[in-house]
Amino acid sequence: MTRNYDAIIIGGGHNGLTCGAYLARAGKTILVLEQKPYVGGASVTEEFSPGFCASTYAFILGHLHPKVIKELELMKYGLEYYPQPNVFNPTEDDGIIFSKDPAKTQEQIARFSKKDAENYPKFFKRMQSTIELLRKLQLETPINPFRKDPASIWKTARFAWRYRNAETEVYNLLHALSMSAHDYVSQWFENDLVKAKFMFWATIGGNSGPYSPGTAFYLVTHLIGQIGMNFCKGGMGSVANAIKLSGEAHGMEVQCNTFVDKILVLNGKAYGVCLKSGEEIHAKRIISNANVKHTFLDMVDKSHLPEDFINDVKGFRTRGMSFKLLCAVDKLPQYRGFNKERTGIEYPAYAHIGPTPEFLERAFHDAKFGWYSSEPFLSPNVPSYVDPTLAPEGKHVVAFQGGVTPYELRNSDWQKEGPQLVKNAFNVMDRFAPGFSESVIDYKLFTPKDIEADINLPGGNSQHGELTLDQIFFMRPIPKYADYRSPVRNLYQCGASTHPGGAVSAVPGHNAAREILADWRLRA
Ligand SMILES: Cc1cc2nc3c(=O)[nH]c(=O)nc-3n(C[C@H](O)[C@H](O)[C@H](O)COP(=O)(O)OP(=O)(O)OC[C@H]3O[C@@H](n4cnc5c(N)ncnc54)[C@H](O)[C@@H]3O)c2cc1C
């Protein structure tokens, strides 16, 4: 007999689980289908070497929305995290700390430039104004300014009215959206290390170097999290597991090792899914947590979709440019430039290596022409320093996200070039933390191709798709369908391809559930 649910969610990433948990709390029968043996998607913990576990992809918990933590009672369901209030940027003989405490950051900056330290509060104020606006926009369902029916015009007008007094914030946001990260920070800072310290954020998840227009937005958007920077106890898989348990407590079912092959559509309405096994499962609503390209180009028969919609989906840019490298080591990395007294911290468990603006920009040069950086920038983090569950006693896990690594290589492939990329990363690390490479017992590398293959993420882009002006808010993932709906009735989207985009924030899942429940109230 065919199984039947109120809603089926394709993908057990943290957003799919969040959407499911909210719908289950509203009394709906929910089935989450995940292709991998466990949930989490890009928010997982895996054993990458015997006895060594790490957050395979996402590693810093900072964006998870406090509203979701509270409403889904995630602390009750096992979420625990260790604050990491400081990020260390080493040079070869010194280093600077970016701290959650602005006074401490200012003190650190003053060691390198008195003028930059004086300007830091102005920079902070400008950033904060943009961050506050983005935090409000996060929870909005994007308006649809392309529709001219009275209901849409009314929604757009109400949105404009709500933000009528935000002209300064909008002006500041437009600066971030259009300026390069380098020009942005140069408005306040003159010292190269101080500039690079902030520009590093702009390199994460982006596809162009921090001298390119628009990259200041990446800088700002990485700092909008409201819970500070943290390592999650047990790795990032614990976030997904807590959301799963919260949903299951309200009846949500989760089925892993289950690949959804097709979304079933009849007369313009989605009514079920067909699994790779051939089984059909039916539901009143189908919700995709998968990337927008996989959802509409692979799972929905194109006869059900308008041609311009298909073209827009094809045009959604999903180029991944960063790699993850997980290392099992027999001792903690020792940074040559680190000093407890100078920095006021015990040990830099989270660092950003990229000491000058030029270093960061150069890392992007080769990638433009199909090659990888000879000197990659790196964000080494040692979660086992605070969480002993991740490594055997006396040993540690050092995980790096770094760049720049294009998806396709010119006249070569990643199988051949992977070992050289690892050597390049180790060389950079040895320069700042001598002896690091000798401490490595084992490692595992993930290029954008590996990320794509593992979690079915086209291009391996950490955000599901680039965060550029043409791919945010009412343009994300594509114009006219940014409100979590789609051209197929009863088919919705809830993953990071939708507003507000990537990060372990749970906001797309939260917003999608709100829209789906609103539709349910109108038509059961
Ligand atoms: C390398 C890397 C580093 C990152 N670092 C951070 C970080 O430090 N902090 C942070 O906040 N964010 C980080 N991010 C971003 C963040 O992890 C993602 O944006 C977020 O996890 C996306 O969640 P999601 O639930 O929307 O989608 P996903 O996590 O992509 O989940 C989608 C799920 O759908 C499943 N699926 C796909 N197709 C099918 C199918 N046909 N049938 C069944 N299941 C299917 C997949 O297996 C997957 O589990 C990082 C991402 C990457 C890749």
Side-chain angles (χ1 to χ4, degrees), residues 6 26 48 191 221 239 281 285 312 360 363 404 466 483 495 514:
D6 285 332
F48 66 96
N191 178 278
T221 201
V239 180
I281 311 176
R285 304 282 191 276
D312 282 342
L360 296 171
V404 181
E466 295 170 33
D483 61 357
R514 184 183 57 211

Side-chain angles (χ1 to χ4, degrees), residues 10-16 33-36 38-43 56-63 204 236 258-261 289-291 294 299 322-324 401 451 454-457 460-464 494-497 501-505 508:
I10 304 168
H14 84 285
N15 276 315
L33 299 170
E34 167 57 42
Q35 52 140 2
K36 283 192 62 163
Y38 33 79
V39 294
S43 183
T56 310
Y57 304 117
F59 59 100
I60 286 289
L61 180 68
H63 290 255
I204 304 172
M236 292 295 278
T258 306
F259 187 89
V260 175
D261 202 26
N289 174 207
N291 183 280
H294 177 49
M299 289 192 278
S322 51
F323 62 91
K324 266 309 281 275
Q401 185 167 0
I451 300 172
D454 184 30
I455 51 172
N456 220 357
L457 193 58
N461 183 286
S462 63
Q463 316 283 315
H464 270 214
C494 74
S497 297
V504 181
S505 67

Side-chain angles (χ1 to χ4, degrees), residues 480-495:
K480 300 185 200 156
Y481 295 99
D483 61 357
Y484 309 97
R485 296 174 179 84
S486 82
V488 177
R489 204 161 153 186
N490 298 340
L491 173 58
Y492 296 83
Q493 315 171 65
C494 74

